[in-house]
Coordinates of all heavy atoms in Angstrom, one line a residue:
M1 N -18.0 -130.9 -46.8 CA -18.6 -129.6 -46.5 C -17.5 -128.7 -45.8 O -16.7 -129.1 -45.1 CB -19.7 -130.0 -45.3 CG -20.3 -128.7 -44.7 SD -22.0 -128.7 -44.6 CE -22.3 -127.2 -43.9
C2 N -17.6 -127.5 -46.2 CA -16.7 -126.4 -45.8 C -17.0 -126.0 -44.3 O -18.1 -125.7 -44.0 CB -16.7 -125.3 -46.7 SG -15.6 -123.9 -46.1
E3 N -15.9 -126.1 -43.5 CA -16.1 -125.8 -42.1 C -15.9 -124.2 -41.9 O -16.2 -123.7 -40.8 CB -15.1 -126.5 -41.3 CG -15.4 -128.1 -41.3 CD -16.6 -128.5 -40.6 OE1 -17.0 -127.8 -39.7 OE2 -17.2 -129.4 -41.0
M4 N -15.2 -123.6 -42.8 CA -15.0 -122.1 -42.8 C -14.2 -121.7 -41.5 O -14.6 -120.7 -40.9 CB -16.3 -121.3 -42.9 CG -17.0 -121.7 -44.2 SD -18.3 -120.3 -44.5 CE -19.3 -120.6 -43.1
T5 N -13.2 -122.5 -41.1 CA -12.5 -122.1 -40.0 C -11.3 -121.2 -40.3 O -10.9 -120.4 -39.5 CB -11.9 -123.4 -39.2 OG1 -11.2 -124.2 -40.2 CG2 -13.0 -124.1 -38.5
E6 N -10.9 -121.3 -41.6 CA -9.8 -120.5 -42.0 C -10.3 -119.6 -43.1 O -10.6 -119.9 -44.3 CB -8.7 -121.3 -42.7 CG -8.0 -122.4 -41.7 CD -7.0 -121.8 -40.9 OE1 -6.3 -120.9 -41.4 OE2 -6.9 -122.1 -39.7
V7 N -10.5 -118.3 -42.8 CA -11.1 -117.4 -43.7 C -10.2 -116.1 -43.8 O -9.5 -115.7 -42.9 CB -12.5 -117.0 -43.4 CG1 -13.5 -118.1 -43.5 CG2 -12.5 -116.3 -41.9
L8 N -10.1 -115.6 -45.0 CA -9.4 -114.4 -45.3 C -10.4 -113.3 -45.3 O -11.5 -113.3 -45.7 CB -8.8 -114.4 -46.7 CG -7.5 -115.2 -46.9 CD1 -7.1 -115.2 -48.4 CD2 -6.4 -114.5 -46.2
E9 N -9.9 -112.2 -44.6 CA -10.8 -111.0 -44.5 C -10.4 -110.0 -45.5 O -9.3 -109.5 -45.5 CB -10.7 -110.5 -43.0 CG -11.7 -109.4 -42.7 CD -11.7 -109.0 -41.3 OE1 -10.9 -109.5 -40.5 OE2 -12.4 -108.1 -41.0
H10 N -11.4 -109.7 -46.3 CA -11.2 -108.6 -47.3 C -12.1 -107.5 -46.8 O -13.1 -107.7 -46.1 CB -11.5 -109.0 -48.7 CG -10.7 -110.1 -49.2 ND1 -9.4 -110.0 -49.5 CD2 -11.0 -111.4 -49.4 CE1 -8.9 -111.1 -49.9 NE2 -9.8 -112.0 -49.8
P11 N -11.9 -106.2 -47.3 CA -12.8 -105.2 -46.8 C -14.3 -105.4 -47.1 O -15.0 -105.0 -46.2 CB -12.3 -104.0 -47.7 CG -10.9 -104.3 -48.0 CD -10.8 -105.8 -48.2
E12 N -14.6 -106.0 -48.2 CA -16.0 -106.2 -48.5 C -16.5 -107.6 -48.5 O -17.7 -107.9 -48.8 CB -16.5 -105.4 -49.8 CG -16.4 -104.0 -49.7 CD -16.4 -103.2 -51.0 OE1 -16.5 -103.9 -51.9 OE2 -16.6 -102.0 -50.9
R13 N -15.6 -108.5 -48.3 CA -16.0 -109.9 -48.4 C -15.1 -110.8 -47.6 O -14.0 -110.4 -47.2 CB -16.0 -110.4 -49.9 CG -14.6 -110.4 -50.5 CD -14.7 -110.4 -52.0 NE -13.4 -109.9 -52.7 CZ -12.3 -110.5 -52.7 NH1 -12.3 -111.7 -52.4 NH2 -11.3 -110.0 -53.2
W14 N -15.6 -112.1 -47.4 CA -14.7 -113.0 -46.8 C -14.4 -114.1 -47.8 O -15.0 -114.2 -48.8 CB -15.6 -113.8 -45.7 CG -16.0 -113.0 -44.6 CD1 -17.3 -112.5 -44.5 CD2 -15.3 -112.6 -43.5 NE1 -17.3 -111.8 -43.2 CE2 -16.2 -111.8 -42.6 CE3 -14.0 -112.8 -43.0 CZ2 -15.8 -111.2 -41.5 CZ3 -13.6 -112.2 -41.9 CH2 -14.5 -111.5 -41.0
E15 N -13.2 -114.7 -47.7 CA -12.8 -115.7 -48.6 C -12.4 -116.9 -47.8 O -11.5 -116.8 -46.8 CB -11.7 -115.2 -49.5 CG -11.2 -116.3 -50.5 CD -10.0 -115.7 -51.3 OE1 -9.8 -114.5 -51.4 OE2 -9.3 -116.6 -51.9
C16 N -12.8 -118.0 -48.2 CA -12.4 -119.3 -47.5 C -11.1 -119.7 -48.0 O -10.9 -119.9 -49.2 CB -13.5 -120.3 -47.6 SG -13.0 -121.9 -46.9
I17 N -10.1 -120.0 -47.1 CA -8.8 -120.4 -47.7 C -8.9 -121.9 -48.1 O -8.2 -122.3 -49.1 CB -7.7 -120.3 -46.5 CG1 -7.6 -118.8 -46.1 CG2 -6.5 -121.0 -46.9 CD1 -6.7 -118.7 -44.9
T18 N -9.8 -122.7 -47.5 CA -9.7 -124.0 -47.8 C -10.3 -124.3 -49.3 O -9.8 -125.1 -50.0 CB -10.7 -124.8 -46.8 OG1 -10.3 -124.4 -45.5 CG2 -10.4 -126.3 -46.9
C19 N -11.5 -123.7 -49.5 CA -12.1 -124.0 -50.8 C -12.2 -122.8 -51.7 O -12.6 -123.0 -52.9 CB -13.5 -124.5 -50.5 SG -14.7 -123.3 -50.0
G20 N -11.9 -121.7 -51.3 CA -11.9 -120.5 -52.2 C -13.1 -119.8 -52.3 O -13.4 -118.8 -53.1
H21 N -14.2 -120.3 -51.6 CA -15.5 -119.7 -51.7 C -15.5 -118.3 -51.1 O -14.8 -118.0 -50.1 CB -16.4 -120.5 -50.8 CG -17.8 -119.9 -50.7 ND1 -18.7 -119.8 -51.8 CD2 -18.5 -119.5 -49.6 CE1 -19.8 -119.3 -51.4 NE2 -19.7 -119.1 -50.1
E22 N -16.2 -117.4 -51.7 CA -16.2 -116.0 -51.3 C -17.6 -115.6 -51.0 O -18.5 -116.0 -51.7 CB -15.6 -115.0 -52.3 CG -14.1 -115.2 -52.6 CD -13.6 -114.2 -53.6 OE1 -14.3 -113.3 -54.0 OE2 -12.4 -114.4 -54.0
W23 N -17.7 -114.8 -50.0 CA -19.1 -114.3 -49.8 C -19.0 -112.9 -49.1 O -18.0 -112.5 -48.5 CB -19.9 -115.2 -48.8 CG -19.3 -115.4 -47.4 CD1 -19.9 -114.8 -46.3 CD2 -18.3 -116.2 -46.9 NE1 -19.1 -115.1 -45.2 CE2 -18.2 -116.1 -45.6 CE3 -17.4 -117.1 -47.7 CZ2 -17.2 -116.8 -44.8 CZ3 -16.5 -117.8 -46.9 CH2 -16.3 -117.6 -45.5
E24 N -20.1 -112.2 -49.3 CA -20.1 -110.8 -48.9 C -20.2 -110.7 -47.3 O -20.8 -111.5 -46.7 CB -21.2 -110.0 -49.5 CG -21.3 -110.0 -50.9 CD -21.8 -108.7 -51.6 OE1 -22.5 -108.0 -50.8 OE2 -21.6 -108.4 -52.8
R25 N -19.5 -109.6 -46.9 CA -19.6 -109.3 -45.4 C -20.9 -108.7 -45.1 O -21.3 -107.9 -45.9 CB -18.4 -108.4 -45.0 CG -17.0 -109.0 -45.2 CD -16.0 -108.0 -44.9 NE -16.1 -107.6 -43.4 CZ -15.0 -107.3 -42.7 NH1 -13.8 -107.2 -43.2 NH2 -15.1 -106.9 -41.4
A26 N -21.4 -109.0 -44.0 CA -22.6 -108.3 -43.7 C -22.2 -106.9 -43.3 O -21.2 -106.7 -42.7 CB -23.3 -109.1 -42.5
P27 N -23.0 -105.9 -43.8 CA -22.6 -104.6 -43.5 C -22.7 -104.3 -42.0 O -23.6 -104.8 -41.3 CB -23.6 -103.6 -44.2 CG -24.8 -104.7 -44.6 CD -24.2 -106.0 -44.6
A28 N -21.8 -103.6 -41.4 CA -21.8 -103.4 -39.9 C -23.0 -102.4 -39.7 O -23.2 -101.5 -40.4 CB -20.5 -102.8 -39.6
P29 N -23.7 -102.7 -38.5 CA -24.7 -101.7 -38.3 C -24.2 -100.4 -37.8 O -23.0 -100.4 -37.3 CB -25.4 -102.5 -37.0 CG -24.3 -103.4 -36.5 CD -23.5 -103.8 -37.7
P30 N -24.9 -99.3 -38.2 CA -24.2 -98.0 -37.9 C -24.1 -97.9 -36.4 O -25.0 -98.2 -35.6 CB -25.3 -97.1 -38.4 CG -26.5 -97.8 -38.7 CD -26.2 -99.3 -38.9
A31 N -23.0 -97.4 -36.0 CA -22.8 -97.2 -34.5 C -23.7 -96.1 -33.9 O -23.7 -95.0 -34.5 CB -21.3 -96.9 -34.3
A32 N -24.3 -96.5 -33.0 CA -25.2 -95.5 -32.3 C -24.2 -94.4 -31.7 O -23.3 -94.8 -30.9 CB -26.1 -96.1 -31.2
R33 N -24.6 -93.2 -31.9 CA -23.8 -92.1 -31.3 C -24.1 -91.9 -29.8 O -25.3 -91.7 -29.5 CB -23.9 -90.8 -32.1 CG -23.1 -89.7 -31.5 CD -23.3 -88.5 -32.5 NE -23.0 -87.3 -32.0 CZ -21.7 -86.8 -32.1 NH1 -20.8 -87.6 -32.6 NH2 -21.3 -85.7 -31.5
V34 N -23.2 -92.1 -29.0 CA -23.4 -91.9 -27.6 C -22.7 -90.7 -27.1 O -21.4 -90.5 -27.2 CB -23.0 -93.1 -26.7 CG1 -23.2 -92.9 -25.3 CG2 -23.8 -94.4 -27.2
V35 N -23.4 -89.7 -26.6 CA -22.9 -88.5 -26.0 C -23.0 -88.5 -24.5 O -24.1 -88.6 -24.0 CB -23.5 -87.2 -26.6 CG1 -23.0 -86.0 -26.0 CG2 -23.4 -87.2 -28.1
K36 N -21.9 -88.3 -23.9 CA -21.8 -88.3 -22.4 C -21.5 -87.0 -21.8 O -20.6 -86.3 -22.4 CB -20.9 -89.5 -21.9 CG -21.4 -90.9 -22.2 CD -20.4 -91.9 -21.7 CE -21.0 -93.2 -22.1 NZ -20.0 -94.3 -21.7
D37 N -22.0 -86.7 -20.6 CA -21.7 -85.5 -20.1 C -20.4 -85.6 -19.3 O -19.7 -86.6 -19.4 CB -22.8 -84.9 -19.1 CG -22.9 -85.8 -17.9 OD1 -22.2 -86.7 -17.6 OD2 -23.9 -85.5 -17.0
A38 N -20.0 -84.6 -18.6 CA -18.6 -84.6 -17.9 C -18.6 -85.8 -16.9 O -17.4 -86.1 -16.6 CB -18.5 -83.2 -17.2
Y39 N -19.7 -86.2 -16.4 CA -19.6 -87.3 -15.4 C -20.0 -88.7 -16.0 O -20.2 -89.6 -15.3 CB -20.5 -86.9 -14.2 CG -20.1 -85.7 -13.6 CD1 -20.8 -84.5 -13.9 CD2 -19.0 -85.6 -12.7 CE1 -20.5 -83.2 -13.3 CE2 -18.6 -84.4 -12.2 CZ -19.3 -83.2 -12.5 OH -18.9 -82.1 -11.9
G40 N -20.1 -88.8 -17.3 CA -20.3 -90.1 -17.9 C -21.8 -90.4 -18.1 O -22.1 -91.5 -18.5
T41 N -22.7 -89.5 -17.7 CA -24.2 -89.7 -18.0 C -24.5 -89.6 -19.4 O -24.0 -88.5 -20.1 CB -25.0 -88.7 -17.1 OG1 -24.6 -88.8 -15.8 CG2 -26.4 -89.1 -17.2
V42 N -25.2 -90.6 -19.9 CA -25.5 -90.4 -21.3 C -26.6 -89.4 -21.6 O -27.5 -89.3 -20.8 CB -26.1 -91.8 -21.8 CG1 -26.6 -91.8 -23.2 CG2 -25.0 -92.9 -21.7
L43 N -26.4 -88.6 -22.5 CA -27.3 -87.5 -22.8 C -28.2 -87.9 -24.0 O -27.8 -88.6 -24.9 CB -26.6 -86.2 -23.2 CG -25.7 -85.6 -22.0 CD1 -24.9 -84.5 -22.4 CD2 -26.6 -85.2 -20.8
A44 N -29.5 -87.3 -24.1 CA -30.3 -87.6 -25.2 C -31.0 -86.2 -25.6 O -31.0 -85.3 -24.9 CB -31.4 -88.6 -24.8
D45 N -31.6 -86.3 -26.8 CA -32.3 -85.1 -27.2 C -33.4 -84.8 -26.3 O -34.0 -85.6 -25.7 CB -33.0 -85.4 -28.6 CG -32.0 -85.4 -29.8 OD1 -30.9 -85.0 -29.6 OD2 -32.4 -85.8 -30.8
G46 N -33.5 -83.5 -26.0 CA -34.6 -83.0 -25.1 C -34.2 -82.9 -23.6 O -34.9 -82.4 -22.8
D47 N -33.0 -83.5 -23.3 CA -32.5 -83.3 -21.9 C -32.2 -81.9 -21.5 O -32.0 -81.1 -22.4 CB -31.2 -84.1 -21.8 CG -31.5 -85.6 -21.5 OD1 -32.6 -86.0 -21.4 OD2 -30.5 -86.4 -21.5
S48 N -32.1 -81.6 -20.3 CA -31.7 -80.4 -19.8 C -30.2 -80.6 -19.2 O -30.0 -81.5 -18.6 CB -32.6 -79.8 -18.7 OG -33.8 -79.5 -19.2
V49 N -29.4 -79.6 -19.5 CA -28.0 -79.7 -18.9 C -27.7 -78.3 -18.2 O -28.3 -77.3 -18.4 CB -27.0 -80.0 -20.0 CG1 -27.2 -81.4 -20.7 CG2 -27.0 -79.0 -21.1
A50 N -26.6 -78.4 -17.4 CA -26.1 -77.2 -16.8 C -24.6 -77.2 -17.0 O -24.0 -78.2 -17.0 CB -26.4 -77.3 -15.3
L51 N -24.2 -76.0 -17.2 CA -22.6 -75.9 -17.4 C -22.0 -76.2 -16.1 O -22.4 -75.8 -15.0 CB -22.4 -74.5 -17.9 CG -23.0 -74.0 -19.1 CD1 -22.4 -72.6 -19.5 CD2 -22.5 -75.0 -20.3
I52 N -20.8 -76.8 -16.2 CA -20.1 -77.1 -15.0 C -18.9 -76.1 -14.9 O -18.1 -76.1 -13.8 CB -19.4 -78.5 -15.0 CG1 -18.5 -78.7 -16.3 CG2 -20.5 -79.6 -15.0 CD1 -17.7 -80.0 -16.2
K53 N -18.8 -75.2 -15.8 CA -17.7 -74.1 -15.7 C -18.1 -72.9 -16.5 O -19.0 -73.0 -17.4 CB -16.4 -74.7 -16.0 CG -16.3 -75.2 -17.5 CD -14.9 -75.6 -17.9 CE -14.2 -74.4 -18.5 NZ -12.9 -74.8 -19.0
D54 N -17.6 -71.7 -16.2 CA -17.8 -70.6 -17.0 C -17.3 -70.8 -18.4 O -16.2 -71.3 -18.6 CB -17.1 -69.3 -16.5 CG -17.7 -69.0 -15.2 OD1 -18.7 -69.7 -14.7 OD2 -17.2 -68.0 -14.5
L55 N -18.1 -70.5 -19.5 CA -17.6 -70.6 -20.8 C -17.7 -69.2 -21.5 O -18.7 -68.5 -21.4 CB -18.6 -71.6 -21.5 CG -18.4 -73.1 -21.2 CD1 -19.3 -73.9 -22.1 CD2 -16.9 -73.5 -21.4
K56 N -16.6 -68.9 -22.2 CA -16.6 -67.7 -22.9 C -17.2 -68.0 -24.3 O -16.9 -68.9 -25.0 CB -15.2 -67.2 -23.1 CG -15.1 -65.7 -23.6 CD -13.6 -65.3 -23.4 CE -13.4 -63.9 -23.9 NZ -13.8 -63.7 -25.3
L57 N -18.2 -67.1 -24.7 CA -18.8 -67.3 -26.0 C -17.7 -66.9 -27.1 O -17.2 -65.8 -27.0 CB -20.0 -66.4 -26.2 CG -21.4 -67.1 -25.7 CD1 -22.5 -66.2 -26.1 CD2 -21.5 -68.5 -26.4
K58 N -17.5 -67.8 -28.0 CA -16.6 -67.5 -29.1 C -17.1 -66.2 -29.8 O -18.3 -66.0 -30.2 CB -16.7 -68.7 -30.1 CG -15.3 -69.0 -30.5 CD -15.5 -70.2 -31.6 CE -14.1 -71.0 -31.7 NZ -14.3 -72.2 -32.5
G59 N -16.2 -65.4 -30.1 CA -16.4 -64.2 -30.9 C -17.1 -63.1 -30.2 O -17.7 -62.1 -30.8
S60 N -17.2 -63.2 -28.8 CA -17.9 -62.2 -28.2 C -17.2 -62.1 -26.7 O -16.4 -62.9 -26.4 CB -19.3 -62.4 -27.9 OG -19.6 -63.2 -26.8
S61 N -17.5 -61.1 -26.0 CA -17.0 -61.0 -24.6 C -17.9 -61.6 -23.6 O -17.6 -61.6 -22.4 CB -16.7 -59.5 -24.3 OG -17.9 -58.8 -24.5
Q62 N -19.0 -62.1 -24.1 CA -20.0 -62.7 -23.2 C -19.5 -63.9 -22.6 O -18.9 -64.8 -23.3 CB -21.3 -62.9 -23.9 CG -22.5 -63.2 -22.9 CD -23.8 -63.4 -23.8 OE1 -23.9 -63.0 -24.9 NE2 -24.8 -64.0 -23.1
V63 N -19.7 -64.1 -21.3 CA -19.4 -65.3 -20.6 C -20.7 -65.9 -20.0 O -21.5 -65.2 -19.4 CB -18.4 -65.0 -19.4 CG1 -18.2 -66.3 -18.5 CG2 -17.1 -64.5 -20.0
I64 N -20.8 -67.3 -20.3 CA -21.9 -68.0 -19.7 C -21.4 -68.6 -18.4 O -20.5 -69.4 -18.4 CB -22.4 -69.0 -20.7 CG1 -22.7 -68.5 -22.1 CG2 -23.7 -69.7 -20.2 CD1 -23.0 -69.5 -23.1
K65 N -22.1 -68.3 -17.3 CA -21.6 -68.7 -16.0 C -21.9 -70.2 -15.8 O -22.8 -70.8 -16.3 CB -22.4 -68.0 -15.0 CG -22.1 -66.5 -14.9 CD -20.8 -66.4 -14.0 CE -20.4 -64.9 -13.9 NZ -19.0 -64.7 -13.6
G66 N -21.0 -70.8 -15.2 CA -21.1 -72.2 -14.7 C -22.4 -72.3 -13.9 O -22.8 -71.4 -13.1
G67 N -23.2 -73.4 -14.1 CA -24.6 -73.6 -13.5 C -25.7 -73.1 -14.3 O -26.8 -73.4 -14.1
T68 N -25.4 -72.3 -15.4 CA -26.4 -72.0 -16.3 C -27.0 -73.2 -17.0 O -26.3 -74.1 -17.4 CB -25.9 -71.0 -17.4 OG1 -25.2 -69.9 -16.8 CG2 -27.0 -70.6 -18.4
K69 N -28.4 -73.1 -17.0 CA -29.0 -74.3 -17.6 C -29.4 -74.1 -19.0 O -29.8 -73.1 -19.4 CB -30.3 -74.7 -16.7 CG -29.9 -75.4 -15.4 CD -31.0 -75.8 -14.6 CE -30.6 -76.5 -13.3 NZ -31.8 -76.8 -12.5
A70 N -29.4 -75.2 -19.7 CA -30.0 -75.2 -21.1 C -31.1 -76.3 -21.1 O -30.8 -77.5 -20.8 CB -28.9 -75.4 -22.2
K71 N -32.2 -76.0 -21.6 CA -33.3 -77.0 -21.7 C -33.5 -77.5 -23.1 O -33.2 -76.7 -24.0 CB -34.6 -76.4 -21.2 CG -34.7 -76.2 -19.7 CD -36.0 -75.5 -19.4 CE -36.1 -75.2 -17.9 NZ -37.3 -74.4 -17.6
G72 N -33.9 -78.7 -23.3 CA -34.3 -79.2 -24.6 C -33.1 -79.2 -25.5 O -33.2 -78.7 -26.6
I73 N -32.0 -79.8 -25.1 CA -30.9 -79.8 -26.0 C -31.1 -80.7 -27.1 O -32.0 -81.6 -27.1 CB -29.6 -80.3 -25.2 CG1 -29.8 -81.8 -24.6 CG2 -29.3 -79.4 -24.1 CD1 -28.6 -82.4 -24.2
R74 N -30.3 -80.6 -28.2 CA -30.4 -81.5 -29.3 C -28.9 -81.9 -29.5 O -28.0 -81.1 -29.6 CB -30.8 -80.6 -30.5 CG -31.5 -81.4 -31.6 CD -32.4 -80.5 -32.5 NE -31.6 -79.4 -32.9 CZ -30.8 -79.3 -33.9 NH1 -30.6 -80.4 -34.6 NH2 -30.2 -78.3 -34.3
L75 N -28.8 -83.2 -29.8 CA -27.5 -83.8 -30.1 C -27.1 -83.7 -31.6 O -28.0 -84.1 -32.4 CB -27.4 -85.2 -29.5 CG -27.7 -85.4 -28.1 CD1 -27.5 -86.9 -27.7 CD2 -26.8 -84.6 -27.2
V76 N -25.9 -83.2 -31.9 CA -25.6 -83.0 -33.2 C -24.2 -83.6 -33.5 O -23.4 -83.9 -32.6 CB -25.6 -81.5 -33.7 CG1 -27.0 -81.0 -33.5 CG2 -24.7 -80.7 -32.7
D77 N -23.9 -83.8 -34.8 CA -22.6 -84.3 -35.2 C -21.6 -83.2 -35.0 O -22.0 -82.0 -35.0 CB -22.5 -84.8 -36.6 CG -23.3 -86.1 -36.7 OD1 -23.2 -86.9 -35.7 OD2 -23.8 -86.3 -37.9
G78 N -20.3 -83.5 -34.8 CA -19.4 -82.5 -34.9 C -18.7 -82.4 -33.5 O -18.9 -83.1 -32.6
D79 N -17.8 -81.4 -33.5 CA -17.0 -81.1 -32.4 C -17.8 -80.7 -31.1 O -17.4 -81.1 -30.0 CB -16.0 -80.0 -32.7 CG -15.0 -79.7 -31.6 OD1 -14.5 -80.7 -31.1 OD2 -14.6 -78.5 -31.5
H80 N -18.8 -79.9 -31.3 CA -19.6 -79.5 -30.2 C -20.9 -80.3 -30.3 O -21.7 -80.1 -31.2 CB -19.9 -78.1 -30.2 CG -18.7 -77.1 -30.0 ND1 -17.6 -77.2 -30.8 CD2 -18.4 -76.3 -29.0 CE1 -16.7 -76.4 -30.3 NE2 -17.2 -75.9 -29.2
E81 N -21.1 -81.3 -29.4 CA -22.1 -82.3 -29.6 C -23.5 -81.9 -29.2 O -24.5 -82.4 -29.5 CB -21.8 -83.5 -28.8 CG -20.5 -84.2 -29.0 CD -19.4 -83.7 -28.0 OE1 -19.5 -82.6 -27.6 OE2 -18.4 -84.5 -27.9
I82 N -23.5 -80.8 -28.5 CA -24.9 -80.3 -28.0 C -25.2 -79.0 -28.6 O -24.5 -78.0 -28.6 CB -24.8 -80.1 -26.4 CG1 -24.5 -81.5 -25.8 CG2 -26.1 -79.5 -25.9 CD1 -24.2 -81.3 -24.4
S83 N -26.4 -79.0 -29.2 CA -27.0 -77.7 -29.8 C -28.1 -77.3 -28.9 O -29.0 -78.1 -28.6 CB -27.5 -78.0 -31.2 OG -28.2 -76.9 -31.6
C84 N -28.1 -76.1 -28.5 CA -29.1 -75.6 -27.5 C -29.2 -74.1 -27.5 O -28.4 -73.4 -28.3 CB -28.7 -76.0 -26.0 SG -27.2 -75.4 -25.4
K85 N -30.1 -73.6 -26.7 CA -30.3 -72.1 -26.6 C -30.0 -71.8 -25.2 O -30.6 -72.4 -24.2 CB -31.6 -71.7 -27.1 CG -31.8 -71.5 -28.5 CD -33.1 -70.8 -29.0 CE -33.1 -70.5 -30.4 NZ -34.2 -69.8 -30.8
I86 N -29.2 -70.8 -25.0 CA -29.0 -70.2 -23.6 C -29.3 -68.7 -23.7 O -28.7 -68.0 -24.5 CB -27.6 -70.5 -23.1 CG1 -27.4 -72.0 -22.8 CG2 -27.3 -69.7 -21.8 CD1 -26.1 -72.3 -22.3
E87 N -30.2 -68.3 -22.8 CA -30.7 -66.9 -22.9 C -31.1 -66.4 -24.3 O -30.7 -65.3 -24.8 CB -29.6 -66.0 -22.3 CG -29.5 -66.2 -20.8 CD -28.2 -65.7 -20.2 OE1 -27.5 -64.9 -20.9 OE2 -27.9 -66.0 -19.1
G88 N -31.8 -67.3 -25.1 CA -32.3 -67.0 -26.4 C -31.2 -67.1 -27.5 O -31.5 -66.9 -28.6
V89 N -29.9 -67.3 -27.1 CA -28.8 -67.5 -28.1 C -28.6 -69.0 -28.4 O -28.3 -69.7 -27.5 CB -27.6 -66.8 -27.6 CG1 -26.5 -66.9 -28.7 CG2 -27.9 -65.4 -27.2
A90 N -28.6 -69.3 -29.7 CA -28.3 -70.7 -30.1 C -26.8 -70.9 -30.1 O -26.0 -70.1 -30.7 CB -28.9 -70.9 -31.5
I91 N -26.4 -71.8 -29.3 CA -24.9 -72.1 -29.2 C -24.7 -73.6 -29.2 O -25.6 -74.4 -29.0 CB -24.3 -71.5 -27.9 CG1 -25.0 -72.0 -26.7 CG2 -24.3 -70.1 -27.9 CD1 -24.3 -71.7 -25.4
G92 N -23.5 -73.9 -29.5 CA -23.0 -75.4 -29.5 C -22.2 -75.6 -28.3 O -21.3 -74.7 -28.0
L93 N -22.4 -76.6 -27.6 CA -21.6 -76.9 -26.4 C -20.9 -78.2 -26.5 O -21.4 -79.1 -27.1 CB -22.5 -77.0 -25.1 CG -23.2 -75.7 -24.6 CD1 -24.1 -76.0 -23.5 CD2 -22.2 -74.6 -24.2
K94 N -19.7 -78.3 -25.9 CA -19.1 -79.6 -25.8 C -19.7 -80.3 -24.6 O -19.9 -79.7 -23.5 CB -17.5 -79.3 -25.5 CG -16.9 -79.0 -26.8 CD -15.3 -78.9 -26.6 CE -14.6 -78.5 -27.8 NZ -13.8 -79.6 -28.3
A95 N -19.9 -81.6 -24.8 CA -20.6 -82.4 -23.7 C -19.7 -82.5 -22.5 O -20.3 -82.6 -21.4 CB -20.9 -83.8 -24.2
C96 N -18.4 -82.3 -22.7 CA -17.5 -82.5 -21.5 C -17.6 -81.2 -20.6 O -17.0 -81.2 -19.5 CB -16.1 -82.7 -22.0 SG -15.4 -81.4 -23.0
F97 N -18.3 -80.2 -21.0 CA -18.4 -79.0 -20.1 C -19.8 -78.8 -19.5 O -20.1 -77.9 -18.9 CB -18.2 -77.7 -20.9 CG -16.8 -77.7 -21.4 CD1 -16.5 -77.1 -22.6 CD2 -15.7 -78.0 -20.6 CE1 -15.1 -77.0 -23.1 CE2 -14.4 -77.9 -21.0 CZ -14.1 -77.5 -22.3
V98 N -20.6 -80.0 -19.5 CA -21.9 -79.9 -18.9 C -22.2 -81.2 -18.1 O -21.5 -82.1 -18.2 CB -23.1 -79.8 -20.1 CG1 -22.8 -78.6 -21.0 CG2 -23.2 -81.1 -20.9
R99 N -23.3 -81.0 -17.3 CA -23.7 -82.2 -16.6 C -25.3 -82.2 -16.8 O -25.9 -81.2 -17.0 CB -23.5 -82.2 -15.1 CG -24.1 -80.9 -14.4 CD -23.8 -81.0 -12.9 NE -24.1 -79.8 -12.3 CZ -25.5 -79.4 -12.0 NH1 -26.4 -80.2 -12.2 NH2 -25.6 -78.2 -11.3
K100 N -25.8 -83.4 -16.8 CA -27.2 -83.6 -17.0 C -28.0 -82.9 -15.8 O -27.6 -83.1 -14.7 CB -27.6 -85.0 -17.2 CG -29.1 -85.2 -17.6 CD -29.3 -86.7 -17.9 CE -30.7 -86.9 -18.1 NZ -31.1 -88.3 -18.6
A101 N -28.9 -82.1 -16.1 CA -29.6 -81.3 -15.0 C -30.9 -82.0 -14.5 O -31.4 -82.9 -15.3 CB -30.0 -79.9 -15.5
Ligands
ZN201 ZN1 -14.6 -123.2 -47.8

């Protein structure tokens, strides 16, 4: 009986060195995306956050003041993890510039 102590790792399969038996690797579970605010608090869809510093809106002269709150955030893929509306304007925020409100 194969003890499978010596195995070769291939991208999609394992191979036993002792007997040559090969078997498929179990697909890795998709990593859950964890978005944390500036203080390490985990954020979730629907949370409210507050800016921890003034942020200049890209492409405009408008500045969003630190402390401004955004309700009902949505976590999205990409560089700016938080999609939300502030004063009616849909914007993307980086999680490192907010704290959970
Ligand atoms: Zn084997």
Side-chain angles (χ1 to χ4, degrees):
M1 174 131 180
C2 177
E3 297 288 330
M4 300 194 303
T5 50
E6 300 275 324
V7 291
L8 279 175
E9 188 174 358
H10 300 289
E12 289 171 353
R13 63 196 159 84
W14 298 101
E15 180 182 344
C16 176
I17 295 172
T18 312
C19 71
H21 176 63
E22 293 183 9
W23 65 100
E24 299 216 344
R25 296 178 63 152
R33 182 175 163 84
V34 176
V35 176
K36 293 178 180 174
D37 73 4
Y39 302 100
T41 305
V42 176
L43 299 172
D45 284 353
D47 279 350
S48 295
V49 297
L51 295 184
I52 59 169
K53 55 177 272 185
D54 293 358
L55 286 183
K56 194 171 180 296
L57 272 186
K58 222 181 201 175
S60 85
S61 58
Q62 191 180 345
V63 172
I64 307 172
K65 291 278 181 200
T68 302
K69 285 183 180 175
K71 290 179 184 170
I73 62 165
R74 207 161 48 81
L75 301 181
V76 294
D77 284 333
D79 182 40
H80 294 63
E81 304 96 333
I82 297 170
S83 172
C84 63
K85 278 192 171 184
I86 290 179
E87 291 164 9
V89 181
I91 58 171
L93 291 175
K94 285 187 181 251
C96 58
F97 294 142
V98 304
R99 62 175 166 80
K100 190 169 173 174

